[in-house]
Amino acid sequence: MRKRKVFLLISCALLSAIISGCGSSSLLGGTVSSTSTDYETQVFNLTNVERTKYGLNPVTWNDKLAQAMDYHCKDMIANNYFDHTSPTGETPGDRATAAGYRWLKVGENIAKGQRTPKEVVDAWMNSPHHRANILDPDFTELGVALEYDSNGVAYWGQLFGTPMP
């Protein structure tokens, strides 16, 4: 019972901070890069809320994964595609490696068109493949990116990682 009370208190504090638009970057999962946007920070925090609901450890922010994801969002916009593999054959693992991330395992979630962090995390949680990435206990790190095309359409991305020991 005591564990449940502590969990509920932490969950309520996190949700309160997210709903109030708190820019705090030190919620669950460690420090978020100072270059991340408020929406990227909120996606990161909401992802950790989902993980803790299922008894999983929160992921920590990783700038290299965020850089790789940002590159992919920009590339999708610039080259007019929406896919995990680029037209040149580049995969999430290729992008993580190019950003200097040494990994054992990576997983990527992308989305297009959602207007808020809650909308995009809800969409991912309602998709079996995306939900599996969010709830994968092997993932310990995460980078989040958000870019907008010239029409204001949002391209969202999460790149999860398990680093080399």
Side-chain angles (χ1 to χ4, degrees):
M1 183 70 155
R2 180 166 167 74
K3 270 186 163 179
R4 184 180 164 105
K5 269 188 175 176
V6 170
F7 171 75
L8 288 173
L9 287 172
I10 291 170
S11 296
C12 289
L14 283 171
L15 288 173
S16 175
I18 290 165
I19 291 167
S20 69
C22 173
S24 173
S25 60
S26 61
L27 294 175
L28 281 181
T31 303
V32 175
S33 171
S34 62
T35 60
S36 68
T37 67
D38 185 50
Y39 270 11
E40 290 165 341
T41 300
Q42 288 181 46
V43 167
F44 174 77
N45 290 330
L46 285 167
T47 299
N48 276 330
V49 167
E50 291 298 331
R51 287 176 64 86
T52 59
K53 278 184 194 175
Y54 292 89
L56 299 171
N57 289 328
V59 289
T60 58
W61 183 268
N62 184 283
D63 283 332
K64 290 177 181 178
L65 293 173
Q67 176 188 358
M69 196 68 252
D70 189 59
Y71 166 82
H72 187 50
C73 288
K74 288 176 179 173
D75 188 56
M76 288 190 292
I77 292 167
N79 293 297
N80 196 30
Y81 72 98
F82 183 74
D83 201 311
H84 295 285
T85 302
S86 76
T88 60
E90 193 176 53
T91 66
D94 295 329
R95 289 186 287 277
T97 299
Y101 186 75
R102 297 193 46 196
W103 56 275
L104 290 174
K105 181 178 179 178
V106 293
E108 181 179 80
N109 287 346
I110 57 174
K112 177 179 167 185
Q114 291 81 2
R115 290 168 287 176
T116 67
K118 183 174 178 353
E119 281 182 25
V120 75
V121 173
D122 285 350
W124 285 329
M125 288 301 291
N126 287 314
S127 161
H129 173 75
H130 298 102
R131 178 188 181 95
N133 279 338
I134 291 171
L135 300 180
D136 189 324
D138 292 340
F139 290 135
T140 59
E141 298 181 327
L142 172 63
V144 177
L146 168 62
E147 293 293 336
Y148 294 92
D149 70 12
S150 60
N151 296 316
V153 175
Y155 284 68
W156 304 84
Q158 296 180 304
L159 189 55
F160 293 88
T162 305
M164 286 277 226

mmCIF file of all heavy atoms in Angstrom, residues 8 10 15 31 34 36-37 44 55 57 59 73 78 92 97 107 117 124 147 155-156 163:
data_model
loop_
_atom_site.group_PDB
_atom_site.id
_atom_site.type_symbol
_atom_site.label_atom_id
_atom_site.label_comp_id
_atom_site.label_asym_id
_atom_site.label_seq_id
_atom_site.Cartn_x
_atom_site.Cartn_y
_atom_site.Cartn_z
ATOM 1 N N LEU A 8 1.591 7.048 -6.616
ATOM 2 C CA LEU A 8 0.519 7.988 -6.950
ATOM 3 C C LEU A 8 0.944 9.426 -6.705
ATOM 4 O O LEU A 8 0.633 10.311 -7.503
ATOM 5 C CB LEU A 8 -0.747 7.663 -6.163
ATOM 6 C CG LEU A 8 -1.485 6.405 -6.601
ATOM 7 C CD1 LEU A 8 -2.628 6.085 -5.656
ATOM 8 C CD2 LEU A 8 -2.004 6.538 -8.024
ATOM 9 N N ILE A 10 4.036 10.621 -6.833
ATOM 10 C CA ILE A 10 4.997 10.967 -7.884
ATOM 11 C C ILE A 10 4.256 11.195 -9.197
ATOM 12 O O ILE A 10 4.499 12.173 -9.895
ATOM 13 C CB ILE A 10 6.067 9.866 -8.034
ATOM 14 C CG1 ILE A 10 6.976 9.847 -6.800
ATOM 15 C CG2 ILE A 10 6.891 10.077 -9.296
ATOM 16 C CD1 ILE A 10 7.907 8.659 -6.729
ATOM 17 N N LEU A 15 2.305 14.697 -13.499
ATOM 18 C CA LEU A 15 1.211 15.155 -14.351
ATOM 19 C C LEU A 15 0.893 16.619 -14.110
ATOM 20 O O LEU A 15 0.636 17.370 -15.044
ATOM 21 C CB LEU A 15 -0.026 14.287 -14.134
ATOM 22 C CG LEU A 15 0.080 12.879 -14.698
ATOM 23 C CD1 LEU A 15 -1.124 12.039 -14.292
ATOM 24 C CD2 LEU A 15 0.220 12.903 -16.204
ATOM 25 N N THR A 31 18.288 14.827 -16.533
ATOM 26 C CA THR A 31 18.287 16.140 -17.147
ATOM 27 C C THR A 31 18.059 16.063 -18.646
ATOM 28 O O THR A 31 18.665 15.264 -19.341
ATOM 29 C CB THR A 31 19.636 16.838 -16.873
ATOM 30 O OG1 THR A 31 19.822 16.882 -15.468
ATOM 31 C CG2 THR A 31 19.658 18.237 -17.429
ATOM 32 N N SER A 34 19.377 21.401 -22.645
ATOM 33 C CA SER A 34 18.880 22.778 -22.653
ATOM 34 C C SER A 34 18.461 23.205 -24.052
ATOM 35 O O SER A 34 17.784 24.215 -24.215
ATOM 36 C CB SER A 34 19.948 23.727 -22.107
ATOM 37 O OG SER A 34 21.089 23.678 -22.936
ATOM 38 N N SER A 36 16.535 21.286 -25.978
ATOM 39 C CA SER A 36 15.249 20.676 -26.307
ATOM 40 C C SER A 36 14.132 21.700 -26.110
ATOM 41 O O SER A 36 14.222 22.588 -25.275
ATOM 42 C CB SER A 36 14.982 19.435 -25.453
ATOM 43 O OG SER A 36 14.775 19.788 -24.113
ATOM 44 N N THR A 37 13.077 21.546 -26.905
ATOM 45 C CA THR A 37 11.938 22.442 -26.780
ATOM 46 C C THR A 37 11.049 21.984 -25.633
ATOM 47 O O THR A 37 11.159 20.848 -25.159
ATOM 48 C CB THR A 37 11.105 22.455 -28.070
ATOM 49 O OG1 THR A 37 10.490 21.166 -28.230
ATOM 50 C CG2 THR A 37 11.950 22.811 -29.291
ATOM 51 N N PHE A 44 9.104 13.570 -23.579
ATOM 52 C CA PHE A 44 10.028 12.779 -22.769
ATOM 53 C C PHE A 44 9.393 12.446 -21.414
ATOM 54 O O PHE A 44 9.372 11.287 -20.992
ATOM 55 C CB PHE A 44 11.331 13.570 -22.580
ATOM 56 C CG PHE A 44 12.308 12.927 -21.640
ATOM 57 C CD1 PHE A 44 13.089 11.847 -22.042
ATOM 58 C CD2 PHE A 44 12.465 13.416 -20.355
ATOM 59 C CE1 PHE A 44 13.998 11.268 -21.168
ATOM 60 C CE2 PHE A 44 13.371 12.839 -19.481
ATOM 61 C CZ PHE A 44 14.138 11.762 -19.885
ATOM 62 N N GLY A 55 5.413 -0.109 -14.125
ATOM 63 C CA GLY A 55 6.461 -0.611 -13.248
ATOM 64 C C GLY A 55 7.854 -0.623 -13.855
ATOM 65 O O GLY A 55 8.751 -1.286 -13.339
ATOM 66 N N ASN A 57 11.461 1.197 -15.211
ATOM 67 C CA ASN A 57 12.326 2.325 -14.887
ATOM 68 C C ASN A 57 12.178 3.401 -15.945
ATOM 69 O O ASN A 57 11.968 3.098 -17.123
ATOM 70 C CB ASN A 57 13.792 1.884 -14.838
ATOM 71 C CG ASN A 57 14.090 1.019 -13.652
ATOM 72 O OD1 ASN A 57 13.500 1.168 -12.583
ATOM 73 N ND2 ASN A 57 14.999 0.076 -13.821
ATOM 74 N N VAL A 59 13.427 6.195 -18.612
ATOM 75 C CA VAL A 59 14.594 6.342 -19.465
ATOM 76 C C VAL A 59 15.258 7.678 -19.140
ATOM 77 O O VAL A 59 14.625 8.569 -18.581
ATOM 78 C CB VAL A 59 14.214 6.290 -20.966
ATOM 79 C CG1 VAL A 59 13.804 4.883 -21.358
ATOM 80 C CG2 VAL A 59 13.124 7.287 -21.312
ATOM 81 N N CYS A 73 13.809 13.763 -38.563
ATOM 82 C CA CYS A 73 12.609 14.585 -38.772
ATOM 83 C C CYS A 73 12.851 15.627 -39.868
ATOM 84 O O CYS A 73 12.010 15.813 -40.754
ATOM 85 C CB CYS A 73 12.184 15.265 -37.467
ATOM 86 S SG CYS A 73 11.456 14.136 -36.252
ATOM 87 N N ALA A 78 12.460 17.538 -45.582
ATOM 88 C CA ALA A 78 13.208 18.020 -46.752
ATOM 89 C C ALA A 78 13.022 17.119 -47.971
ATOM 90 O O ALA A 78 13.004 17.602 -49.107
ATOM 91 C CB ALA A 78 14.699 18.131 -46.415
ATOM 92 N N PRO A 92 17.162 3.636 -38.359
ATOM 93 C CA PRO A 92 17.371 4.251 -37.041
ATOM 94 C C PRO A 92 18.751 3.922 -36.451
ATOM 95 O O PRO A 92 19.408 4.791 -35.876
ATOM 96 C CB PRO A 92 16.251 3.661 -36.190
ATOM 97 C CG PRO A 92 15.160 3.378 -37.172
ATOM 98 C CD PRO A 92 15.877 2.922 -38.416
ATOM 99 N N THR A 97 24.250 5.617 -34.903
ATOM 100 C CA THR A 97 25.694 5.440 -35.066
ATOM 101 C C THR A 97 26.337 6.706 -35.620
ATOM 102 O O THR A 97 27.381 7.149 -35.131
ATOM 103 C CB THR A 97 25.987 4.232 -35.987
ATOM 104 O OG1 THR A 97 25.446 3.055 -35.375
ATOM 105 C CG2 THR A 97 27.476 4.056 -36.207
ATOM 106 N N GLY A 107 15.330 1.682 -30.957
ATOM 107 C CA GLY A 107 13.945 1.607 -31.421
ATOM 108 C C GLY A 107 13.443 3.006 -31.690
ATOM 109 O O GLY A 107 13.775 3.937 -30.951
ATOM 110 N N PRO A 117 2.028 17.278 -27.208
ATOM 111 C CA PRO A 117 2.742 16.108 -26.680
ATOM 112 C C PRO A 117 1.794 14.999 -26.218
ATOM 113 O O PRO A 117 2.041 13.821 -26.482
ATOM 114 C CB PRO A 117 3.548 16.683 -25.515
ATOM 115 C CG PRO A 117 3.807 18.090 -25.924
ATOM 116 C CD PRO A 117 2.526 18.528 -26.593
ATOM 117 N N TRP A 124 0.922 6.975 -29.868
ATOM 118 C CA TRP A 124 1.922 5.907 -29.786
ATOM 119 C C TRP A 124 1.480 4.798 -28.838
ATOM 120 O O TRP A 124 1.670 3.620 -29.127
ATOM 121 C CB TRP A 124 3.279 6.468 -29.363
ATOM 122 C CG TRP A 124 4.002 7.207 -30.451
ATOM 123 C CD1 TRP A 124 3.950 6.969 -31.795
ATOM 124 C CD2 TRP A 124 4.900 8.297 -30.278
ATOM 125 N NE1 TRP A 124 4.766 7.853 -32.467
ATOM 126 C CE2 TRP A 124 5.369 8.680 -31.555
ATOM 127 C CE3 TRP A 124 5.371 9.005 -29.167
ATOM 128 C CZ2 TRP A 124 6.269 9.715 -31.752
ATOM 129 C CZ3 TRP A 124 6.271 10.031 -29.369
ATOM 130 C CH2 TRP A 124 6.719 10.388 -30.652
ATOM 131 N N GLU A 147 9.906 18.702 -35.336
ATOM 132 C CA GLU A 147 10.153 19.678 -36.404
ATOM 133 C C GLU A 147 8.834 19.938 -37.121
ATOM 134 O O GLU A 147 7.949 19.079 -37.127
ATOM 135 C CB GLU A 147 11.194 19.161 -37.399
ATOM 136 C CG GLU A 147 12.588 19.014 -36.843
ATOM 137 C CD GLU A 147 13.262 20.330 -36.482
ATOM 138 O OE1 GLU A 147 12.887 21.380 -37.050
ATOM 139 O OE2 GLU A 147 14.156 20.309 -35.619
ATOM 140 N N TYR A 155 6.251 16.958 -37.199
ATOM 141 C CA TYR A 155 6.893 15.657 -37.346
ATOM 142 C C TYR A 155 7.549 15.357 -36.004
ATOM 143 O O TYR A 155 8.458 16.072 -35.583
ATOM 144 C CB TYR A 155 7.958 15.687 -38.441
ATOM 145 C CG TYR A 155 7.409 15.669 -39.842
ATOM 146 C CD1 TYR A 155 6.695 16.753 -40.351
ATOM 147 C CD2 TYR A 155 7.603 14.563 -40.664
ATOM 148 C CE1 TYR A 155 6.195 16.739 -41.644
ATOM 149 C CE2 TYR A 155 7.105 14.537 -41.961
ATOM 150 C CZ TYR A 155 6.399 15.626 -42.439
ATOM 151 O OH TYR A 155 5.895 15.602 -43.714
ATOM 152 N N TRP A 156 7.066 14.332 -35.339
ATOM 153 C CA TRP A 156 7.533 13.948 -34.015
ATOM 154 C C TRP A 156 8.404 12.702 -34.122
ATOM 155 O O TRP A 156 8.163 11.839 -34.963
ATOM 156 C CB TRP A 156 6.353 13.588 -33.115
ATOM 157 C CG TRP A 156 5.297 14.628 -32.959
ATOM 158 C CD1 TRP A 156 4.242 14.866 -33.800
ATOM 159 C CD2 TRP A 156 5.159 15.549 -31.887
ATOM 160 N NE1 TRP A 156 3.466 15.876 -33.297
ATOM 161 C CE2 TRP A 156 3.998 16.317 -32.131
ATOM 162 C CE3 TRP A 156 5.902 15.804 -30.734
ATOM 163 C CZ2 TRP A 156 3.556 17.313 -31.266
ATOM 164 C CZ3 TRP A 156 5.465 16.795 -29.876
ATOM 165 C CH2 TRP A 156 4.314 17.546 -30.132
ATOM 166 N N PRO A 163 22.587 1.484 -24.519
ATOM 167 C CA PRO A 163 23.989 1.736 -24.885
ATOM 168 C C PRO A 163 24.869 0.502 -24.707
ATOM 169 O O PRO A 163 24.561 -0.401 -23.940
ATOM 170 C CB PRO A 163 24.407 2.848 -23.923
ATOM 171 C CG PRO A 163 23.535 2.644 -22.724
ATOM 172 C CD PRO A 163 22.229 2.108 -23.249
#
